[in-house]
Amino acid sequence: MDKELLTQEVLRLKAERQAVILAHSYQLPEVQEVADFVGDSLGLAREAERTPAKVIVFAGVHFMAETAAILNPDKTVLLPDLEAGCSLADSLRPEDVLAWKAAHPEGIVVAYVNTRAEVKALADVCVTSANAVEVVARLPQDRPILFVPDMFLGAHVARVTGRRLHLFPGECHVHAGIREEHLKALLETHPGAEFLIHPECGCGSGCLYLKPDAKMLSTEGMVRYARRAEAREFVVATEVGILHRLAKEAPGKTFVPVKPDAVCEYMKRITLEKVYLSLKEMRYAVGVPEEVAGRARRALEAMVAVG
């Protein structure tokens, strides 16, 4: 089936199933085009919570579908490919959090949304890259804080808030691969461009040293900034799937990836054909046991309420 016919069938089945398609900004362009909403983890979580649709097709990775299932226990949440995982989420085990909590009984656990449901259930609050700074800044000053699992995002939050955080040494393999040398090369070839850098990137503070006026932004922050900025050219340090959305929402502007091969193979497992099959066959349903979901829901609802 060609792309045009697949698109028509997806839209037909979506109406027939009374479904909504939520897609992350790193998804393939053709998947983004059939989605009802395209956004970052925070925006997608909010849309999942408020949608009246009976079926949610989640074009993203497994922890995102889990999040939607936790927030919508009475709805069917479908993930078109169960192998669409996350190297960052897989870097942290519940046992790691439990060990820290045992050593710090008064501690607060802040879990990045890129975590498994079992970890969210142990957290006091969940955050996304869009609201992590705001959430951490509000936490009590006299209690130790564990930030899991992304050490680069955690270091960014600590730098901006001035808070001392215990950081788990986890990383996204795609963002960790974006290094200072990649940024430096683009500084020379695009001297007039604005630089947009995701806080998960491995270059971290080194990027800000090389380019002090670079903007550390979540994926949604990049889109908002690009829309309103007067600049016409932007160098973008994150997974390259966002380039489609940036070009669509900020037409007439140029977006250059810091690392053209910064591709998440897990995100790209979701194809238009798999979205079609997911709707046609109602596959694959993602659920979370209520004893886990109930505890994780508190941390997620606190995340959705901020920012």
Side-chain angles (χ1 to χ4, degrees), residues 96-134:
D96 299 317
V97 179
L98 287 170
W100 186 87
K101 286 168 73 78
H104 304 84
E106 298 301 315
I108 298 172
V109 177
V110 178
Y112 191 23
V113 73
N114 299 42
T115 47
R116 298 176 183 176
E118 293 82 1
V119 170
K120 292 182 177 73
L122 297 172
D124 296 284
V125 63
C126 286
V127 298
T128 69
S129 55
N131 70 2
V133 167
E134 185 177 356

Short mmCIF file of all heavy atoms in Angstrom, two decimals, residues 96-134:
data_model
loop_
_atom_site.label_atom_id
_atom_site.label_comp_id
_atom_site.label_asym_id
_atom_site.label_seq_id
_atom_site.Cartn_x
_atom_site.Cartn_y
_atom_site.Cartn_z
N ASP A 96 17.80 0.67 41.86
CA ASP A 96 18.72 1.80 42.01
C ASP A 96 18.07 2.91 42.85
O ASP A 96 18.71 3.53 43.70
CB ASP A 96 19.11 2.35 40.64
CG ASP A 96 19.84 1.33 39.78
OD1 ASP A 96 20.70 0.62 40.31
OD2 ASP A 96 19.52 1.25 38.58
N VAL A 97 16.79 3.15 42.59
CA VAL A 97 16.07 4.18 43.34
C VAL A 97 15.84 3.74 44.78
O VAL A 97 16.02 4.52 45.72
CB VAL A 97 14.72 4.50 42.65
CG1 VAL A 97 13.95 5.56 43.44
CG2 VAL A 97 14.94 4.97 41.22
N LEU A 98 15.47 2.50 44.95
CA LEU A 98 15.23 1.98 46.30
C LEU A 98 16.49 2.05 47.16
O LEU A 98 16.42 2.36 48.36
CB LEU A 98 14.72 0.54 46.22
CG LEU A 98 13.28 0.37 45.73
CD1 LEU A 98 12.98 -1.10 45.45
CD2 LEU A 98 12.28 0.94 46.72
N ALA A 99 17.64 1.77 46.56
CA ALA A 99 18.90 1.82 47.32
C ALA A 99 19.18 3.24 47.79
O ALA A 99 19.60 3.47 48.94
CB ALA A 99 20.05 1.31 46.46
N TRP A 100 18.93 4.23 46.92
CA TRP A 100 19.15 5.62 47.32
C TRP A 100 18.16 6.05 48.39
O TRP A 100 18.53 6.71 49.37
CB TRP A 100 19.04 6.54 46.10
CG TRP A 100 19.41 7.96 46.42
CD1 TRP A 100 20.65 8.52 46.38
CD2 TRP A 100 18.51 9.01 46.83
NE1 TRP A 100 20.59 9.85 46.74
CE2 TRP A 100 19.29 10.18 47.03
CE3 TRP A 100 17.14 9.09 47.05
CZ2 TRP A 100 18.74 11.39 47.43
CZ3 TRP A 100 16.59 10.29 47.47
CH2 TRP A 100 17.39 11.42 47.64
N LYS A 101 16.91 5.64 48.25
CA LYS A 101 15.89 6.00 49.24
C LYS A 101 16.22 5.40 50.60
O LYS A 101 15.98 6.02 51.64
CB LYS A 101 14.50 5.52 48.76
CG LYS A 101 13.92 6.35 47.63
CD LYS A 101 12.72 5.68 47.00
CE LYS A 101 11.49 5.70 47.85
NZ LYS A 101 10.81 7.01 47.83
N ALA A 102 16.78 4.19 50.62
CA ALA A 102 17.15 3.57 51.88
C ALA A 102 18.26 4.35 52.57
O ALA A 102 18.29 4.46 53.80
CB ALA A 102 17.59 2.12 51.64
N ALA A 103 19.17 4.91 51.77
CA ALA A 103 20.29 5.69 52.33
C ALA A 103 19.89 7.12 52.65
O ALA A 103 20.57 7.80 53.42
CB ALA A 103 21.46 5.69 51.34
N HIS A 104 18.78 7.58 52.07
CA HIS A 104 18.32 8.97 52.26
C HIS A 104 16.82 8.95 52.53
O HIS A 104 16.01 9.34 51.68
CB HIS A 104 18.62 9.82 51.03
CG HIS A 104 20.06 9.84 50.63
ND1 HIS A 104 20.63 8.85 49.84
CD2 HIS A 104 21.05 10.73 50.90
CE1 HIS A 104 21.91 9.13 49.65
NE2 HIS A 104 22.20 10.26 50.28
N PRO A 105 16.42 8.50 53.73
CA PRO A 105 14.98 8.36 54.02
C PRO A 105 14.18 9.65 53.93
O PRO A 105 12.97 9.61 53.74
CB PRO A 105 14.97 7.78 55.44
CG PRO A 105 16.33 8.06 55.99
CD PRO A 105 17.26 8.06 54.84
N GLU A 106 14.86 10.80 54.06
CA GLU A 106 14.16 12.08 53.94
C GLU A 106 14.26 12.65 52.53
O GLU A 106 13.84 13.79 52.28
CB GLU A 106 14.74 13.08 54.94
CG GLU A 106 14.59 12.68 56.40
CD GLU A 106 13.12 12.51 56.78
OE1 GLU A 106 12.31 13.37 56.41
OE2 GLU A 106 12.80 11.50 57.43
N GLY A 107 14.84 11.89 51.62
CA GLY A 107 15.11 12.40 50.28
C GLY A 107 13.89 12.51 49.40
O GLY A 107 12.84 11.90 49.65
N ILE A 108 14.05 13.29 48.34
CA ILE A 108 13.01 13.49 47.33
C ILE A 108 13.52 12.92 46.02
O ILE A 108 14.64 13.24 45.59
CB ILE A 108 12.67 14.98 47.16
CG1 ILE A 108 12.12 15.56 48.46
CG2 ILE A 108 11.68 15.19 46.01
CD1 ILE A 108 11.96 17.07 48.42
N VAL A 109 12.72 12.09 45.38
CA VAL A 109 13.10 11.50 44.10
C VAL A 109 12.38 12.23 42.96
O VAL A 109 11.14 12.26 42.93
CB VAL A 109 12.78 10.00 44.04
CG1 VAL A 109 13.14 9.43 42.66
CG2 VAL A 109 13.55 9.26 45.13
N VAL A 110 13.16 12.83 42.07
CA VAL A 110 12.62 13.51 40.89
C VAL A 110 12.93 12.62 39.70
O VAL A 110 14.10 12.39 39.37
CB VAL A 110 13.27 14.90 40.71
CG1 VAL A 110 12.73 15.57 39.45
CG2 VAL A 110 13.01 15.77 41.92
N ALA A 111 11.91 12.11 39.06
CA ALA A 111 12.10 11.20 37.93
C ALA A 111 11.74 11.90 36.62
O ALA A 111 10.63 12.40 36.45
CB ALA A 111 11.25 9.95 38.09
N TYR A 112 12.71 11.96 35.74
CA TYR A 112 12.45 12.41 34.37
C TYR A 112 11.40 11.48 33.78
O TYR A 112 11.37 10.28 34.08
CB TYR A 112 13.76 12.33 33.59
CG TYR A 112 13.80 12.97 32.24
CD1 TYR A 112 12.93 13.99 31.87
CD2 TYR A 112 14.75 12.56 31.30
CE1 TYR A 112 13.00 14.59 30.62
CE2 TYR A 112 14.84 13.14 30.05
CZ TYR A 112 13.96 14.15 29.71
OH TYR A 112 14.03 14.73 28.47
N VAL A 113 10.55 12.00 32.96
CA VAL A 113 9.45 11.19 32.40
C VAL A 113 9.98 10.02 31.58
O VAL A 113 9.30 9.01 31.40
CB VAL A 113 8.48 12.07 31.58
CG1 VAL A 113 9.12 12.49 30.27
CG2 VAL A 113 7.15 11.39 31.36
N ASN A 114 11.22 10.10 31.11
CA ASN A 114 11.85 9.01 30.35
C ASN A 114 12.27 7.88 31.29
O ASN A 114 13.45 7.57 31.43
CB ASN A 114 13.07 9.52 29.58
CG ASN A 114 12.74 10.60 28.58
OD1 ASN A 114 11.95 11.50 28.87
ND2 ASN A 114 13.34 10.54 27.42
N THR A 115 11.32 7.29 31.96
CA THR A 115 11.56 6.20 32.91
C THR A 115 10.42 5.20 32.81
O THR A 115 9.32 5.53 32.35
CB THR A 115 11.64 6.71 34.36
OG1 THR A 115 10.53 7.60 34.61
CG2 THR A 115 12.93 7.43 34.65
N ARG A 116 10.67 4.00 33.29
CA ARG A 116 9.63 2.98 33.32
C ARG A 116 8.60 3.30 34.40
O ARG A 116 8.87 4.03 35.35
CB ARG A 116 10.26 1.62 33.60
CG ARG A 116 11.24 1.14 32.54
CD ARG A 116 11.87 -0.17 32.97
NE ARG A 116 12.87 -0.63 32.02
CZ ARG A 116 13.62 -1.70 32.19
NH1 ARG A 116 13.49 -2.43 33.29
NH2 ARG A 116 14.50 -2.07 31.27
N ALA A 117 7.43 2.70 34.27
CA ALA A 117 6.35 2.93 35.23
C ALA A 117 6.77 2.56 36.65
O ALA A 117 6.40 3.24 37.61
CB ALA A 117 5.11 2.14 34.82
N GLU A 118 7.55 1.49 36.80
CA GLU A 118 7.97 1.05 38.13
C GLU A 118 8.85 2.09 38.82
O GLU A 118 8.83 2.20 40.05
CB GLU A 118 8.73 -0.27 38.02
CG GLU A 118 7.89 -1.46 37.58
CD GLU A 118 7.70 -1.53 36.07
OE1 GLU A 118 8.26 -0.68 35.35
OE2 GLU A 118 7.00 -2.44 35.62
N VAL A 119 9.61 2.85 38.04
CA VAL A 119 10.43 3.92 38.61
C VAL A 119 9.55 5.12 38.97
O VAL A 119 9.70 5.73 40.03
CB VAL A 119 11.55 4.34 37.63
CG1 VAL A 119 12.25 5.61 38.11
CG2 VAL A 119 12.56 3.20 37.48
N LYS A 120 8.63 5.46 38.08
CA LYS A 120 7.71 6.57 38.37
C LYS A 120 6.94 6.31 39.67
O LYS A 120 6.65 7.23 40.43
CB LYS A 120 6.74 6.77 37.21
CG LYS A 120 7.37 7.30 35.93
CD LYS A 120 6.29 7.50 34.87
CE LYS A 120 6.86 8.11 33.59
NZ LYS A 120 7.65 7.15 32.82
N ALA A 121 6.63 5.05 39.91
CA ALA A 121 5.88 4.70 41.12
C ALA A 121 6.68 4.95 42.39
O ALA A 121 6.10 5.09 43.48
CB ALA A 121 5.45 3.23 41.06
N LEU A 122 8.00 5.03 42.28
CA LEU A 122 8.87 5.30 43.43
C LEU A 122 9.21 6.78 43.57
O LEU A 122 9.83 7.18 44.55
CB LEU A 122 10.17 4.49 43.29
CG LEU A 122 10.03 2.97 43.29
CD1 LEU A 122 11.37 2.32 42.94
CD2 LEU A 122 9.53 2.47 44.64
N ALA A 123 8.81 7.57 42.58
CA ALA A 123 9.19 8.99 42.57
C ALA A 123 8.19 9.85 43.35
O ALA A 123 7.03 9.50 43.51
CB ALA A 123 9.27 9.49 41.13
N ASP A 124 8.69 10.99 43.81
CA ASP A 124 7.81 11.98 44.43
C ASP A 124 7.17 12.87 43.39
O ASP A 124 6.05 13.35 43.56
CB ASP A 124 8.61 12.82 45.43
CG ASP A 124 9.13 11.98 46.58
OD1 ASP A 124 8.33 11.66 47.47
OD2 ASP A 124 10.33 11.64 46.57
N VAL A 125 7.90 13.12 42.30
CA VAL A 125 7.38 13.94 41.22
C VAL A 125 8.10 13.55 39.94
O VAL A 125 9.27 13.17 39.95
CB VAL A 125 7.57 15.45 41.52
CG1 VAL A 125 9.05 15.82 41.62
CG2 VAL A 125 6.88 16.32 40.46
N CYS A 126 7.39 13.61 38.83
CA CYS A 126 7.99 13.42 37.52
C CYS A 126 8.18 14.79 36.86
O CYS A 126 7.47 15.76 37.19
CB CYS A 126 7.11 12.56 36.62
SG CYS A 126 7.12 10.81 37.05
N VAL A 127 9.14 14.86 35.94
CA VAL A 127 9.39 16.11 35.22
C VAL A 127 9.67 15.79 33.76
O VAL A 127 9.97 14.65 33.40
CB VAL A 127 10.61 16.89 35.80
CG1 VAL A 127 10.37 17.30 37.23
CG2 VAL A 127 11.89 16.06 35.67
N THR A 128 9.57 16.81 32.92
CA THR A 128 10.06 16.72 31.55
C THR A 128 11.17 17.75 31.39
O THR A 128 11.40 18.58 32.29
CB THR A 128 8.95 17.01 30.53
OG1 THR A 128 8.59 18.40 30.61
CG2 THR A 128 7.73 16.14 30.77
N SER A 129 11.83 17.74 30.26
CA SER A 129 12.87 18.74 30.03
C SER A 129 12.28 20.15 29.99
O SER A 129 12.97 21.13 30.23
CB SER A 129 13.63 18.44 28.74
OG SER A 129 12.75 18.33 27.63
N ALA A 130 10.97 20.25 29.71
CA ALA A 130 10.32 21.55 29.64
C ALA A 130 10.06 22.16 31.01
O ALA A 130 10.04 23.39 31.15
CB ALA A 130 9.00 21.44 28.87
N ASN A 131 9.83 21.33 32.04
CA ASN A 131 9.47 21.90 33.34
C ASN A 131 10.36 21.46 34.50
O ASN A 131 10.09 21.77 35.65
CB ASN A 131 8.00 21.62 33.68
CG ASN A 131 7.72 20.16 33.99
OD1 ASN A 131 8.62 19.32 34.02
ND2 ASN A 131 6.46 19.85 34.22
N ALA A 132 11.46 20.74 34.21
CA ALA A 132 12.32 20.23 35.27
C ALA A 132 12.90 21.34 36.14
O ALA A 132 12.95 21.22 37.37
CB ALA A 132 13.46 19.39 34.67
N VAL A 133 13.34 22.42 35.52
CA VAL A 133 13.92 23.54 36.27
C VAL A 133 12.88 24.12 37.23
O VAL A 133 13.16 24.34 38.42
CB VAL A 133 14.47 24.62 35.33
CG1 VAL A 133 14.78 25.90 36.09
CG2 VAL A 133 15.71 24.11 34.59
N GLU A 134 11.69 24.35 36.74
CA GLU A 134 10.63 24.95 37.56
C GLU A 134 10.24 24.04 38.71
O GLU A 134 10.06 24.49 39.85
CB GLU A 134 9.41 25.25 36.68
CG GLU A 134 8.32 26.00 37.42
CD GLU A 134 7.14 26.36 36.52
OE1 GLU A 134 7.21 26.09 35.30
OE2 GLU A 134 6.16 26.90 37.04
#
